[in-house]
Amino acid sequence: MNYFVTGATGFIGRFLVARLLKREGARVFALVRPGSEYKLDAMRRRLCVEESRLVPITGDLTKKLLGVSKRDQDDLVGQIDHFFHLAAIYDLSADENTQRYINIEGTRQTLKLAEKVNAKAFHHVSSVAAAGLYEGTFSEDMFEEAGELNDPYLLTKHESEALVRQESRIPWRIYRPSLVVGHSQTGEMDKVDGPYYFFKLIQKLKDFLPNWIPLIGVESGHFNIVPVDFVADALDHIAHQEAGNGQCFHLTADRSYNLGEVMDIIASAAQAPRMPVRIDQRMFDAVPGFVRRGVSAMTPRLLINQAMENLDIPPSLIKFLTFPTEYDNSRAAAALEGSGIEVPELESYVQQLWDFWENHLDPDRDEREDELQPLPSLPERAEDKIVMITGATSGIGKASALKLARAGATVLVVARTPEKLEETLHEIKQVGGNARAYRCDVSNLEAVDELVEQVLADYGRVDILVNNAGHSIRRSVVHSFQRFHDFERTMQLNYFGSLRLIMLLMPGMIERGFGHVINISSIGVLTNAPRFSAYVASKAALDSFTRCAASEMAHLGIHFTTINMPLVRTPMIAPTKLYNHVPTISPNQAADMICDAIVRRPKRIATSLGIMGQVMHFLTPKVTETIMNTGYKIFSDSAAAMGGKEKTPKKISREQAAFSRLFKGIHW
């Protein structure tokens, strides 16, 4: 199979070329400008391929037929199975004429060359920018319906796509990636672009403010973000399917983020102040026009431009902060079904993006003092470690077990149900991990004793203990007067069961001079969440023990980490159907917090909103109590808590929706 690729040494191009060359007998002809052949030489060395499989074709996107020599044209006739056009200019500071010439005329000449050499298929890598500033959801079948195209990049991407649709004489396919960021595993990126423009701002916030101070973000715009490895994998897979000619594919994530969410996610990786509270952009529309004009008049444009320059943000980016378009990717999803190629959640790889930017792309990296040694990776922390996780067959526990198994740990999965244990073991083996299942009800202290005895007989030690198994009860105190057993059973599992494991495993940890205990607590311990008195009290007891024990054992090499989890969408909250309509984090995001604990070994991991709640309870207890009481009255006890059958509400009230978004992650 022979391929011709323009933009082969570009960011997406070099990842695509690597995928293509993995195919048996594949040969890639890559367009390179005179004097840039060294880039292809570097690619060959990195990919370990011979020159006959990655062949340079000297040319220039600005020339007729791309400046490819007559001899090369003749040699390529009838040889190219797939012609990929990736080369384009994307630079917010580039002038309109340059963008028109390269993006539009370059595409025209690329099409002519593809036809000249009788390529069998033409693959045009466009962009979601071709949709312009469309209000609403733009589908893969839409093109003429594009919104405003009042920016050179939007305009030229739209018009270059139009050329392919209208003038191509060979079968074509169009691909529209959304905002492409670095590799999801390595963070590799070649320039500051898209969300990266926010990195310097967040770094400065990190430098000047403690990370527990919560900030306010703005719910504005739609940012659809995908890592480059997904784009390359999807291009390679879809291009080789029989069906798809004459169609467009959106290489986009299933969901978009607003500006405040993107900033908050990046801040989490940077250990910078988070933005748990976000204001809807539409609130500013309610401000009278004369007030907005007055504020604008009092803010000199020179001052704004200077501030953005100091943050390495191009002023032309402002217009995209309220980007209005969402994207339907049904066709691409169908084409990728069963391939295993999917977009990971931004939260799962943002740490890799931040680390790569800080080490390679930050313009001030040489001037910044590195006060700390670089953190080890998760595999470096987890490899050859024996990690016990309770409640490991669903939700947070299962997601953590899979991540740690991939990282090289031997994972001891502990749960009550044999079938679920076997299912979890099978999934871990599928990802090449090493694990062993132990059946145990952690609320049964005798069973815990037997568990530890068996584990020590099998492995001799446990290096990391994750006390994840827990039970939550959502019920008001006034409805608990006759239910004292609620408090007994939460204490039995959440406190006594976890404590028993710690006490039995701790002697071996002390003897070896190393051990790490991670206790999964709740944001409710910090915010004193109403309706969770039984659950919060049991978690608070474990928190208090942990603080005392950590003070005693700091010199013995024993680490304790408490994670005050926000609301996570797990089977534990499933009985409360109201939670189907309120913001939660995913089990994968929660598992990332556990992995972060293993890497950094902090004393506590909590959201900014949780820490703010704790601070407010200390500084303004009456005000905070009033806020929590308001939330208590807005929400109600579930039918299940009252002994009835719970039904999923079709929707929640406007007040409930507003309150749950304002206090995202807090249990109500």
Side-chain angles (χ1 to χ4, degrees), residues 79-235:
Q79 298 297 311
I80 304 302
D81 298 288
H82 296 276
F83 198 118
F84 287 90
H85 179 42
L86 288 85
I89 185 171
Y90 171 46
D91 186 344
L92 292 177
S93 61
D95 63 88
E96 183 173 348
N97 286 337
T98 301
Q99 294 196 54
R100 278 183 170 274
Y101 200 71
I102 293 178
N103 291 350
I104 300 176
E105 190 58 29
T107 299
R108 191 189 311 276
Q109 296 304 321
T110 302
L111 272 171
K112 289 183 177 180
L113 177 64
E115 293 166 1
K116 183 81 171 178
V117 301
N118 295 330
K120 297 182 178 68
F122 188 83
H123 303 276
H124 178 64
V125 181
S126 180
S127 164
V128 292
L133 301 179
Y134 181 82
E135 296 277 353
T137 301
F138 203 79
S139 75
E140 292 155 305
D141 289 323
M142 297 168 70
F143 176 70
E144 298 293 345
E145 300 88 341
E148 290 183 22
L149 299 165
N150 57 359
D151 177 85
Y153 182 67
L154 302 180
L155 178 65
T156 56
K157 295 307 289 186
H158 184 83
E159 292 193 7
S160 61
E161 187 175 312
L163 281 175
V164 177
R165 293 171 176 273
Q166 297 165 8
E167 298 186 11
S168 178
R169 297 190 183 93
I170 57 180
W172 56 265
R173 300 181 190 187
I174 291 172
Y175 310 86
R176 295 178 185 152
S178 52
L179 284 171
V180 181
V181 295
H183 196 287
S184 65
Q185 299 298 318
T186 66
E188 181 183 349
M189 179 63 169
D190 64 352
K191 67 174 183 175
V192 171
D193 184 26
Y196 288 86
Y197 286 121
F198 304 135
F199 281 37
K200 177 57 68 174
L201 169 61
I202 289 170
Q203 187 189 65
K204 289 187 179 296
L205 290 173
K206 173 187 177 182
D207 289 343
F208 291 106
L209 295 172
N211 64 5
W212 56 264
I213 292 182
L215 302 178
I216 296 177
V218 178
E219 291 188 346
S220 173
H222 298 289
F223 294 82
N224 194 289
I225 299 170
V226 291
V228 66
D229 45 313
F230 162 75
V231 175
D233 287 341
L235 278 170

Side-chain angles (χ1 to χ4, degrees), residues 285-324:
D285 296 337
V287 177
F290 73 89
V291 175
R292 293 199 301 270
R293 289 191 294 272
V295 172
S296 178
M298 290 187 294
T299 309
R301 176 60 55 182
L302 180 63
L303 186 62
I304 294 175
N305 289 345
Q306 184 63 48
M308 297 189 73
E309 182 179 335
N310 290 338
L311 294 169
D312 300 319
I313 300 175
S316 53
L317 180 70
I318 292 178
K319 72 180 76 172
F320 295 110
L321 296 184
T322 56
F323 206 82

Side-chain angles (χ1 to χ4, degrees), residues 215-490:
L215 302 178
I216 296 177
V218 178
E219 291 188 346
S220 173
H222 298 289
F223 294 82
N224 194 289
I225 299 170
V226 291
V228 66
D229 45 313
F230 162 75
V231 175
D233 287 341
L235 278 170
D236 174 49
H237 182 79
I238 297 174
H240 290 89
Q241 291 188 326
E242 291 186 9
N245 288 340
Q247 294 181 332
C248 176
F249 300 87
H250 280 170
L251 306 185
T252 60
D254 291 336
R255 60 157 296 193
S256 297
Y257 299 88
N258 60 54
L259 176 61
E261 288 176 320
V262 172
M263 296 281 282
D264 189 54
I265 291 169
I266 298 171
S268 70
Q271 298 298 308
R274 300 286 298 274
M275 300 174 192
V277 179
R278 289 183 283 277
I279 300 173
D280 196 317
Q281 166 73 20
R282 290 170 293 185
M283 290 179 61
F284 296 107
D285 296 337
V287 177
F290 73 89
V291 175
R292 293 199 301 270
R293 289 191 294 272
V295 172
S296 178
M298 290 187 294
T299 309
R301 176 60 55 182
L302 180 63
L303 186 62
I304 294 175
N305 289 345
Q306 184 63 48
M308 297 189 73
E309 182 179 335
N310 290 338
L311 294 169
D312 300 319
I313 300 175
S316 53
L317 180 70
I318 292 178
K319 72 180 76 172
F320 295 110
L321 296 184
T322 56
F323 206 82
T325 316
E326 298 261 30
Y327 306 98
D328 174 72
N329 60 5
S330 301
R331 181 180 294 128
L336 294 173
E337 187 174 2
S339 67
I341 300 170
E342 57 185 20
V343 184
E345 295 174 339
L346 176 60
E347 294 89 340
S348 70
Y349 64 93
V350 68
Q351 190 67 57
Q352 290 91 313
L353 303 185
W354 176 265
D355 291 344
F356 189 90
W357 174 83
E358 204 165 37
N359 291 323
H360 300 280
L361 298 177
D362 178 12
D364 302 323
R365 60 190 177 277
D366 294 331
E367 300 173 11
R368 294 176 61 86
E369 294 184 2
D370 189 7
E371 299 176 355
L372 301 173
Q373 292 295 321
L375 285 172
S377 65
L378 181 62
E380 288 172 331
R381 285 289 202 210
E383 192 171 13
D384 299 326
K385 292 290 191 296
I386 307 296
V387 182
M388 177 185 287
I389 304 176
T390 64
T393 56
S394 67
I396 301 170
K398 185 174 184 177
S400 301
L402 287 166
K403 286 178 182 289
L404 289 168
R406 288 193 195 98
T410 296
V411 184
L412 312 183
V413 292
V414 178
R416 293 178 301 174
T417 311
E419 295 78 15
K420 290 185 177 180
L421 283 167
E422 288 303 316
E423 178 184 309
T424 303
L425 277 186
H426 176 72
E427 291 187 37
I428 291 174
K429 289 177 182 177
Q430 289 293 102
V431 300
N434 185 25
R436 186 161 177 175
Y438 291 89
R439 183 183 180 187
C440 179
D441 179 356
V442 181
S443 65
N444 183 330
L445 301 186
E446 291 183 359
V448 172
D449 294 346
E450 294 173 4
L451 165 69
V452 173
E453 183 180 355
Q454 186 61 54
V455 166
L456 294 181
D458 293 338
Y459 291 95
R461 74 185 199 277
V462 169
D463 300 302
I464 301 171
L465 168 64
V466 182
N467 277 315
N468 169 69
H471 181 68
S472 174
I473 296 176
R474 181 181 184 269
R475 183 176 286 115
S476 299
V477 173
V478 295
H479 298 308
S480 302
F481 295 150
Q482 305 302 317
R483 297 184 61 88
F484 192 75
H485 60 281
D486 284 351
F487 297 86
E488 291 178 314
R489 59 181 176 152
T490 52

Side-chain angles (χ1 to χ4, degrees), residues 4-7 31-34 57-69 73 83-85 87 102 105-114 122:
F4 192 105
V5 182
T6 71
L31 185 75
V32 293
R33 286 180 296 180
I57 300 294
T58 304
D60 191 318
L61 206 65
T62 65
K63 306 293 185 182
K64 183 178 180 181
L65 293 176
L66 306 187
V68 175
S69 69
Q73 290 180 38
F83 198 118
F84 287 90
H85 179 42
I102 293 178
E105 190 58 29
T107 299
R108 191 189 311 276
Q109 296 304 321
T110 302
L111 272 171
K112 289 183 177 180
L113 177 64
F122 188 83

